[in-house]
Amino acid sequence: MGPGRPRAWGRRGFGAFGLGWTLFRLGALLAPLGLHLGVLRFGSASPGEGGTAPRGLLRRALGLALLGGLASAALLAGAARWLERSVFRIEGLGGVLLAFAAALPLVALLTVLAAGARAVRRIGLAVALEQILQPAGFLVLGVAALALGRSASGVAWAHCASYVVATAAALAALRSLLGPGVEGPGRAALVRYSWPTALAGVLTLAVTWTDRLFVGYLMPGEAVGIYHAASQLPMALATVLGGFNAIFGPMAADLHAARGEQERLRTLHRTATRWGIVACSWKRRSCWRRRASSRRRLRSEYAVGARALFWLGVGQAVNVGTGGVGILLMMTGRERVWLRWTTVGLVLNVPLNLLLIPRWGVAGAAIATAVSISVLYAGAVWSVRRALRMWPWGRDLFGLAVCGLLVPAFLLAAGRWHLEGAVRLVGVFAAGALAALAARWWAGGRERAAGLRRELAERWRRRR
């Protein structure tokens, strides 16, 4: 669940909340120590009796995740005042960080329990705990805190309380997840797999969120609020993709563990990528529209973030367009390959932020993030192709690609030529129909060419 409305505290207060939220998200990835991915992989490959997770695996993961959550909370709480006074120099940041630190042990437990539910295909329970109960609790408690006139730290404590509710419900469901019989891998094997995935997760989020930290360090607090407000819509693309990956991950681990299922895994990878692109297409169009008319859609003091909104949308479009390559590498035992690519992305991201923010402000931070994300996911696609011999795209994505180019191009032309009403609507439908015809022609042409090759080969064999 994202942070509250920026108008509640002004740009500086919203900047403090945005920085605290960024550090909390980094801590939330580090706190479970990657054990949720270990549960997802090993639990999917060796389920317990009756569709339950291996008892030993889940209990070991919960114990280690709790220790990781407590350590992360202590680290963030201990550094809260120092970060407020010496690093970012934003008043109120320390209180926000203390509230977020209190939630980290709960985040670790909830993440591992939700992964256990996904491993045994109880997707509805995982979604109810992580994506419905906790965000709904934050919505209710956060609105109440705003109505009572609380500061940013008060809303952060409401966020912590929402994790108390969700984690209590997850622990109540623990009995139904544990099963007898299969114990799963030992603690050493679990840790050997989990630490690279945990570090890769932190680095992946750092590539996406480090720009906020550099904006906070190099620019005034108001700039952080502007940048954080502009970043919320593009981040929704990653949220939608994360929903597909939550289902794709355990299925990929299961198919990879079973021999002779490589073709099904390839088909599943392409299907997940295709539907992720379709589901996120309306969000990408929103980024185009908001970039073109930012002063109408954003409050006037936030309109300077329009260019940042566009470039952040470009970066997340690359993320969505490459599908779940990261989760695929981790679920097939290539977590260290994914770790290497996330390291490359972060190493590229840091100097780009230092170079571009002083020159172009918040737009420079967005460009640095877009370039780093593009390199990260392009490298992951290449590694998947090299290791597993598969691409995330099939010929059926040609029509989506054409539509993704024609429709935004027409919308930009309509805005430039001041086309409105029925003319604009008919043009959008015509561009979509042209894209569909092009896709059908492409598919039919490929099929006819393949049939012609088969016929010629058969005739040649008969003559011989």
Side-chain angles (χ1 to χ4, degrees):
M1 180 68 188
R5 293 170 65 87
R7 68 181 66 184
W9 317 297
R11 290 175 295 178
R12 179 170 288 272
F14 191 63
F17 193 94
L19 276 177
W21 181 265
T22 301
L23 293 170
F24 165 74
R25 293 306 306 161
L26 291 172
L29 270 181
L30 183 62
L33 302 177
L35 295 160
H36 60 295
L37 293 171
V39 169
L40 197 61
R41 186 190 175 200
F42 296 120
S44 300
S46 57
E49 297 178 5
T52 53
R55 178 183 296 270
L57 171 66
L58 194 54
R59 285 184 171 176
R60 282 190 286 271
L62 285 172
L64 292 171
L66 181 59
L67 292 177
L70 291 173
S72 300
L75 181 63
L76 184 58
R81 296 303 177 188
W82 173 72
L83 290 171
E84 177 185 4
R85 297 170 182 173
S86 302
V87 179
F88 299 108
R89 298 178 294 278
I90 298 179
E91 184 180 356
L93 177 61
V96 172
L97 292 178
L98 289 175
F100 281 136
L104 289 178
L106 304 172
V107 173
L109 293 176
L110 179 62
T111 303
V112 171
L113 287 168
R118 290 192 180 96
V120 294
R121 307 294 192 273
R122 299 181 63 180
I123 306 298
L125 176 60
V127 171
L129 293 173
E130 278 192 312
Q131 308 298 330
I132 297 178
L133 185 58
Q134 187 274 322
F138 181 34
L139 178 63
V140 173
L141 296 173
V143 169
L146 289 174
L148 293 174
R150 301 298 182 185
S151 62
S153 61
V155 177
W157 280 110
H159 180 261
C160 179
S162 70
Y163 271 103
V164 173
V165 175
T167 306
L171 291 173
L174 176 62
R175 185 181 298 274
S176 65
L177 292 178
L178 292 177
V182 182
E183 284 294 309
R187 184 176 286 106
L190 185 60
V191 171
R192 278 197 304 271
Y193 172 81
S194 297
W195 79 260
T197 62
L199 185 56
V202 172
L203 294 179
T204 302
L205 192 65
V207 171
T208 309
W209 291 65
T210 299
D211 47 4
R212 294 160 177 78
L213 303 180
F214 278 103
V215 170
Y217 182 74
L218 298 173
M219 301 186 70
E222 291 82 356
V224 184
I226 294 171
Y227 192 76
H228 197 68
S231 67
Q232 295 310 295
L233 181 64
M235 287 303 298
L237 299 178
T239 303
V240 174
L241 181 62
F244 281 93
N245 287 344
I247 302 173
F248 172 62
M251 297 176 69
D254 189 18
L255 291 175
H256 181 70
R259 296 186 177 182
E261 299 289 353
Q262 189 77 1
E263 187 59 35
R264 289 184 62 190
L265 179 58
R266 180 181 292 107
T267 302
L268 177 66
H269 182 34
R270 290 182 175 180
T271 301
T273 302
R274 179 174 66 250
W275 283 108
I277 293 173
V278 171
C280 293
S281 60
W282 69 276
K283 284 287 185 181
R284 292 198 298 274
R285 289 195 295 271
S286 296
C287 287
W288 282 89
R289 289 195 301 267
R290 291 197 179 200
R291 169 67 178 89
S293 56
S294 61
R295 293 191 180 274
R296 286 190 298 108
R297 294 182 178 270
L298 295 174
R299 287 170 55 86
S300 58
E301 63 266 31
Y302 290 87
V304 69
R307 290 181 63 195
L309 172 64
F310 170 77
W311 286 109
L312 290 172
V314 169
Q316 290 303 327
V318 173
N319 180 10
V320 172
T322 54
V325 288
I327 194 70
L328 181 60
L329 287 171
M330 289 186 286
M331 290 298 104
T332 55
R334 294 167 176 83
E335 62 279 356
R336 294 174 188 267
V337 176
W338 177 238
L339 175 60
R340 286 196 291 270
W341 281 115
T342 56
T343 304
V344 170
L346 184 60
V347 169
L348 180 63
N349 184 262
V350 171
L352 284 177
N353 274 287
L354 291 174
L355 178 65
L356 299 180
I357 290 176
R359 184 172 183 179
W360 292 323
V362 294
I367 294 172
T369 299
V371 172
S372 302
I373 289 175
S374 300
V375 171
L376 166 62
Y377 287 101
V381 167
W382 179 80
S383 294
V384 167
R385 174 62 181 173
R386 183 180 180 184
L388 301 174
R389 315 303 298 175
M390 61 180 66
W391 292 107
W393 316 292
R395 296 192 188 103
D396 52 353
L397 281 179
F398 176 76
L400 289 176
V402 174
C403 186
L405 292 174
L406 286 180
V407 174
F410 176 80
L411 289 175
L412 288 176
R416 183 178 297 274
W417 297 334
H418 305 288
L419 301 178
E420 297 293 343
V423 176
R424 187 187 186 98
L425 183 62
V426 170
V428 170
F429 276 108
L434 183 59
L437 289 174
R440 184 173 180 180
W441 174 84
W442 170 264
R446 302 284 293 195
E447 292 174 0
R448 287 192 297 271
L452 180 59
R453 286 195 299 269
R454 288 194 296 269
E455 183 180 353
L456 291 175
E458 182 64 25
R459 290 182 178 181
W460 176 257
R461 284 195 297 268
R462 290 176 179 175
R463 287 184 179 181
R464 295 185 63 182

